[in-house]
Amino acid sequence: MARTILRRLALRDFRSYHDAALELDGRPVALSGLNGAGKTNLLEAVSYLAPGKGLRGASVAELGRRTPGEPSGRAWSLATVLEDGKGETRVGTGTDSVAASRRLVRLDGETVAPGRLAGVVRLVWLTPAQDRLFLDGATERRRFLDRLTFAAEPAHAAVANAYDRALRERLRLLTDGPADAAWLSALEVRLGAEGVRLADARARTLDVLQAEIDRRVDRPFPLALLDLVGDWSRPDPAADAPRLAEAFARARARDAVAGRSLTGPHRTDLLVRHREKDRPAAECSTGEQKALILNLVLAQAARLSRAESSPNPILLLDEVAAHLDVKRRAALFEEITALGLQAFLTGTDRALFQHRPGWAQEVLVDASQLKPLAD
């Protein structure tokens, strides 16, 4: 299968970048530089080659570069050339004015809906914010699982958004009124249908990830045991949509008093255990937690790299080497190379990426200037 790679990146007025460009040769890209130099900003820019709000979940208005004294950020743009073995695709995204609330997307010069990006490039990322995945609440774990699910099934994002909209609208009717029974019933039917689709996609993703992890016994990363908990975590797609709608209907009075919806797949939690130690991930060391999360991300990347019907993933790994020992760091670099994936990795010290000569394209990031380094 032909590899999916970015050949060129060009940024204009994005975050700390005024005007920057980088030619890419298909190898993993190792970005080193001091804290605040702009490394994560570059990864965030690449993350906007996928639908959605990028790896920081920022609004469009937050992304434009703003100098001291400017009341708002400038219009910004990101352009790239994507190569997939069949040819090249020019991809561009950004805003056309300072006041824009939505970003534009263009494929080969044609303006398209952002959702079209899912069929062109797929991204899997890991950021320092996810280091607390096992310590924070279930919401962050659901978001993490949804991102992995979306990478494999792009339609999952639309389902999740439709479910969330219906959930908010139902709760607004219950708490603020008018609690019109017909309107509520229609929303609950929608919640039943979209909720079952949402939960089923998550469960499929988890099962495939577990199978992929079970194959990875020869890697120096801790193996995970994965599970989903919650009343609607593993629904029957053929039968449970009406049952879920009925559950919402029965819970109207309770949800109105509570001010939140107390049933449904939005309350599912992802459980991860360290298999060898038979301990919850939350009780493991910081390094072990990082390695467990990384193994999940690599398992998804390996799965997608073999899929015949989708683009190969591109990995965005922010400060990924910080908590890995030398052995695991080398294993990470070897696996990225073996999978044939383009990856963008960041770190404060160039020495973190000294693995073997020529394995990565090294770039120094200095005050939002991109300076390629000699091999």
Side-chain angles (χ1 to χ4, degrees):
M1 184 183 213
R3 298 171 63 212
T4 301
I5 58 174
L6 305 180
R7 281 298 184 191
R8 187 175 191 274
L9 282 174
L11 284 73
R12 179 85 178 174
D13 285 327
F14 183 92
R15 293 286 196 186
S16 57
Y17 287 89
H18 168 50
D19 194 0
L22 185 62
E23 301 294 332
L24 303 168
D25 60 19
R27 287 179 294 168
V29 182
L31 303 161
S32 59
L34 299 176
N35 290 328
K39 303 183 300 297
T40 302
N41 288 345
L42 181 64
L43 261 62
E44 184 182 25
V46 177
S47 75
Y48 280 95
L49 296 175
K53 292 186 175 182
L55 59 79
R56 282 180 171 138
S59 67
V60 168
E62 295 177 80
L63 302 175
R65 188 173 69 95
R66 183 170 58 186
T67 58
E70 285 186 299
S72 59
R74 302 180 181 188
W76 59 272
S77 65
L78 164 69
T80 187
V81 176
L82 184 74
E83 181 181 289
D84 64 1
K86 299 177 183 177
E88 293 183 344
T89 302
R90 291 178 294 118
V91 183
T93 188
T95 57
D96 58 1
S97 69
V98 171
S101 60
R102 295 184 179 182
R103 65 184 175 114
L104 301 174
V105 174
R106 292 189 176 93
L107 296 180
D108 288 328
E110 177 188 358
T111 300
V112 300
R116 285 275 300 278
L117 290 170
V120 178
V121 60
R122 297 199 179 174
L123 301 170
V124 179
W125 61 66
L126 183 60
T127 70
Q130 293 166 329
D131 288 352
R132 292 186 55 82
L133 185 69
F134 305 125
L135 304 177
D136 289 338
T139 298
E140 294 307 315
R141 288 185 288 278
R142 282 193 299 273
R143 287 176 179 165
F144 176 74
L145 179 56
D146 281 338
R147 170 54 58 181
L148 294 180
T149 303
F150 169 70
E153 302 183 28
H156 181 71
V159 173
N161 288 337
Y163 179 85
D164 286 344
R165 284 195 301 271
L167 198 67
R168 290 193 301 270
E169 181 66 9
R170 173 182 175 272
L171 191 59
R172 187 189 65 79
L173 292 177
L174 291 175
T175 56
D176 300 337
D180 181 86
W183 196 350
L184 284 167
S185 294
L187 287 170
E188 287 156 357
V189 168
R190 190 186 311 165
L191 284 167
E194 302 294 359
V196 165
R197 291 178 63 193
L198 176 76
D200 186 50
R202 287 172 176 167
R204 286 198 306 273
T205 295
L206 202 75
D207 291 344
V208 174
L209 282 176
Q210 185 66 72
E212 189 68 42
I213 288 169
D214 292 345
R215 297 173 47 176
R216 300 168 60 80
V217 294
D218 58 338
R219 276 77 165 183
F221 295 102
L223 298 179
L225 289 174
L226 311 176
D227 198 7
L228 292 170
V229 293
D231 291 342
W232 298 96
S233 59
R234 289 186 176 275
D236 178 351
D240 277 350
R243 290 183 57 240
L244 179 54
E246 290 169 8
F248 275 111
R250 290 194 303 269
R252 288 177 189 175
R254 181 185 64 176
D255 291 352
V257 172
R260 62 186 188 276
S261 300
L262 298 174
T263 190
H266 60 282
R267 298 181 64 82
T268 295
D269 197 1
L270 167 65
L271 296 186
V272 180
R273 294 183 69 85
H274 190 303
R275 179 180 298 181
E276 291 87 348
K277 293 189 174 182
D278 193 26
R279 296 178 64 186
E283 297 178 6
C284 296
S285 70
T286 300
E288 288 172 330
Q289 290 182 26
K290 184 85 171 185
L292 281 165
I293 299 170
L294 183 57
N295 206 14
L296 279 170
V297 169
L298 290 174
Q300 182 67 309
R303 170 199 176 191
L304 294 179
S305 70
R306 296 194 303 270
E308 293 296 330
S309 60
S310 62
N312 280 0
I314 293 173
L315 298 177
L316 306 180
L317 304 176
D318 194 16
E319 298 291 348
V320 72
H323 296 297
L324 297 180
D325 56 37
V326 174
K327 183 179 180 181
R328 284 178 177 159
R329 219 165 37 232
L332 168 63
F333 301 155
E334 286 296 332
E335 180 144 8
I336 291 171
T337 302
L339 290 173
L341 300 179
Q342 191 175 43
F344 292 77
L345 307 94
T346 69
T348 55
D349 189 348
R350 184 185 182 187
L352 290 170
F353 304 113
Q354 301 304 301
H355 174 46
R356 53 180 174 78
W359 84 274
Q361 182 177 356
E362 293 193 70
V363 178
L364 174 66
V365 184
D366 182 15
S368 296
Q369 297 295 314
L370 304 176
K371 303 176 181 180
L373 299 172
D375 290 341

